[in-house]
Amino acid sequence: MSDSSVRQPWSLSELVADLRSGRTTPEAALRRSRDRIAGTEERVRAWVAFDDSAADSLAAVRTGALGGVPMGVKDIIDLGGLPTRCGSVLRADAGPAERDAPVVEAWRAAGAIPVGKTVTTEFAFFAPGPTRNPANLRHTPGGSSSGSAAAVASGQVPLAIGSQTAGSVTRPAAYCGVASLVLRHGHLSTDGVAGLSPSLDAHGVYAAGAADVSLAWAALTGEPDPARDAHTTPRIALWNAAPLATVSDEMGAALASAEARLTDRGATIDVFPLEALIAEVTTAHPVVMAYEAARERSAELERADQLSAPLAGLLRTGAATSESDYRAACRLVAAARTELGALLTQYDAVLGPAAPGAAPQGLDATGDPVLSRPWQALGLPTVAVPGLRNAAGLPLGLQVIAGSEAAALRAAVWVERSLNG
């Protein structure tokens, strides 16, 4: 195996089909996961702790929708019996969580088996952990849900969960070349999650492709799998993100190529008409995030000398932000949400780049979340779609935004199939 790439995602759809047909068993799936971790973890470094009791849970999940699928859990989310250390020295001596967070309980009810905790950046902000990008070990996997994205991209598990406050799920998925779904804000309880911003924090899930994420979401919610309805050509508003960031030439070319291929497949594609509005929302997002983070993490703010400079800066900025500025930012976002909602009655989805480009080289930074900020502020579900690459072979991810998880997943699966067909 090449040292430069250990990317080999494990299809959730294929595993679930094999489990349901009896071609494999939960025991065999767990064994495969552990073997793959043993063979790649020294290079990928996606995990901070393993649940030695995972095998004890297998008998209880044979009838679950996912029926014994191994899963990773981001280390800001409580997993009963293991500490929640949040990638921070402040939690280095944390004892084990007494119980699962509600979101973990929901995944267990769907049949998933948590096998351990995955690396997060410090309190889900910018200071990176040791994880490397399976597509190229010299490049960042992104953050903050770096371990979950890398664990899925390297085939250590076919499913992992994370969280997003700015771009913590979408960006790692794009960099590592896997799919992700960020759920609508408030869709599931965030109790038991060490978040940053109550009005922005949302749950996320990773799997190999959009159809795999769609299957996972259906298993979690009990709703029909949107992938089954992904045969209708969608009407798409194409967002090139030009006012927000310098999108790389290769990402710009990839987006143009995708537009041409999707049009050939019958999609109706128009230029996204609300660029100025999205730019305004993007400036409001950091105000809301900093203000709420200073209050959500007030205990850590009191020990800011033990935090990384970026996190200490965020909390101090938030503490200095006036309530009137915070309220103004919230009002701007609320008004924009109404306007975007009206647009999404005319289009099935918005399609744009998931990150300004491919994963930057180096492990000292996690890249720029700017292209996720507006959609996260608006609380809309987003799906990262893999499949495109630059000349060096690094993944280039797109993102699909819609008014509901089902609509986003239907459009994302259609896009994925059209790009790969």
Side-chain angles (χ1 to χ4, degrees):
M1 185 182 298
S2 167
D3 281 343
S4 64
S5 175
V6 292
R7 184 180 173 279
Q8 191 176 322
W10 181 1
S11 168
L12 177 66
S13 301
E14 292 179 6
L15 174 59
V16 168
D18 287 345
L19 287 165
R20 291 175 180 173
S21 69
R23 290 190 294 271
T24 193
T25 64
E27 289 83 359
L30 181 59
R31 187 164 55 250
R32 172 175 167 174
S33 174
R34 287 176 169 171
D35 288 347
R36 181 66 178 168
I37 291 170
T40 58
E41 178 60 7
E42 183 176 350
R43 284 167 286 178
V44 178
R45 304 182 71 181
W47 301 84
V48 294
F50 295 100
D51 184 0
D52 294 333
S53 68
D56 299 335
S57 305
L58 294 177
V61 300
R62 292 184 184 279
T63 58
L66 295 175
V69 169
M71 182 181 80
V73 177
K74 182 181 182 180
D75 193 29
I76 67 165
I77 303 170
D78 284 350
L79 180 60
L82 292 179
T84 305
R85 292 185 170 142
C86 302
S88 171
V89 296
L90 299 185
R91 297 285 188 97
D93 298 323
E98 295 183 357
R99 60 182 64 87
D100 290 339
V103 66
V104 174
E105 292 177 349
W107 282 106
R108 284 193 194 272
I113 301 295
V115 299
K117 306 294 289 289
T118 54
V119 170
T120 175
T121 62
E122 179 195 33
F123 281 105
F125 201 52
F126 279 119
T131 307
R132 300 172 178 179
N133 190 329
N136 188 313
L137 299 174
R138 296 188 298 275
H139 290 244
T140 176
S144 63
S145 306
S146 46
S148 289
V152 168
S154 60
Q156 295 178 337
V157 285
L159 180 70
I161 60 174
S163 67
Q164 177 155 300
T165 309
S168 293
V169 170
T170 302
R171 184 166 88 264
Y175 285 173
C176 294
V178 295
S180 68
L181 166 67
V182 178
L183 279 68
R184 278 173 295 159
H185 175 74
H187 193 113
L188 291 170
S189 168
T190 54
D191 290 348
V193 180
L196 279 174
S197 174
S199 71
L200 298 173
D201 295 339
H203 294 292
V205 56
Y206 292 98
D212 298 298
V213 171
S214 183
L215 184 155
W217 182 82
L220 177 69
T221 61
E223 297 186 23
D225 186 348
R228 297 176 182 174
D229 298 322
H231 46 75
T232 303
T233 54
R235 183 164 187 174
I236 292 172
L238 190 70
W239 176 61
N240 66 18
L244 294 192
T246 303
V247 173
S248 70
D249 290 344
E250 56 195 12
M251 177 60 86
L255 187 63
S257 175
E259 178 184 10
R261 292 165 69 177
L262 300 181
T263 301
D264 286 344
R265 295 280 178 167
T268 299
I269 299 181
D270 296 328
V271 175
F272 180 76
L274 300 175
E275 290 278 14
L277 184 73
I278 291 301
E280 291 178 356
V281 173
T282 304
T283 63
H285 176 279
V287 177
V288 175
M289 183 173 174
Y291 182 91
E292 294 188 359
R295 286 140 187 88
E296 188 76 1
R297 303 260 66 91
S298 58
E300 286 77 18
L301 176 58
E302 293 179 358
R303 302 168 68 186
D305 60 324
Q306 298 180 58
L307 301 175
S308 67
L311 181 56
L314 172 76
L315 300 185
R316 287 168 176 151
T317 297
T321 300
S322 69
E323 181 172 352
S324 62
D325 286 348
Y326 168 69
R327 297 295 177 195
C330 291
R331 286 194 297 273
L332 188 155
V333 170
R337 189 177 294 122
T338 299
E339 197 162 347
L340 253 295
L343 179 74
L344 288 172
T345 65
Q346 303 171 45
Y347 293 92
D348 296 297
V350 176
L351 174 67
Q361 186 168 345
L363 303 177
D364 295 333
T366 60
D368 190 344
V370 63
L371 301 191
S372 290
R373 289 188 185 277
W375 313 111
Q376 197 62 23
L378 293 165
L380 296 172
T382 60
V383 179
V385 181
L388 303 176
R389 290 177 177 272
N390 68 6
L394 287 170
L396 294 169
L398 302 179
Q399 62 177 326
V400 171
I401 305 102
S404 69
E405 286 88 349
L409 288 163
R410 278 195 301 272
V413 171
W414 187 89
V415 168
E416 179 181 66
R417 290 173 178 169
S418 298
L419 293 179
N420 296 328

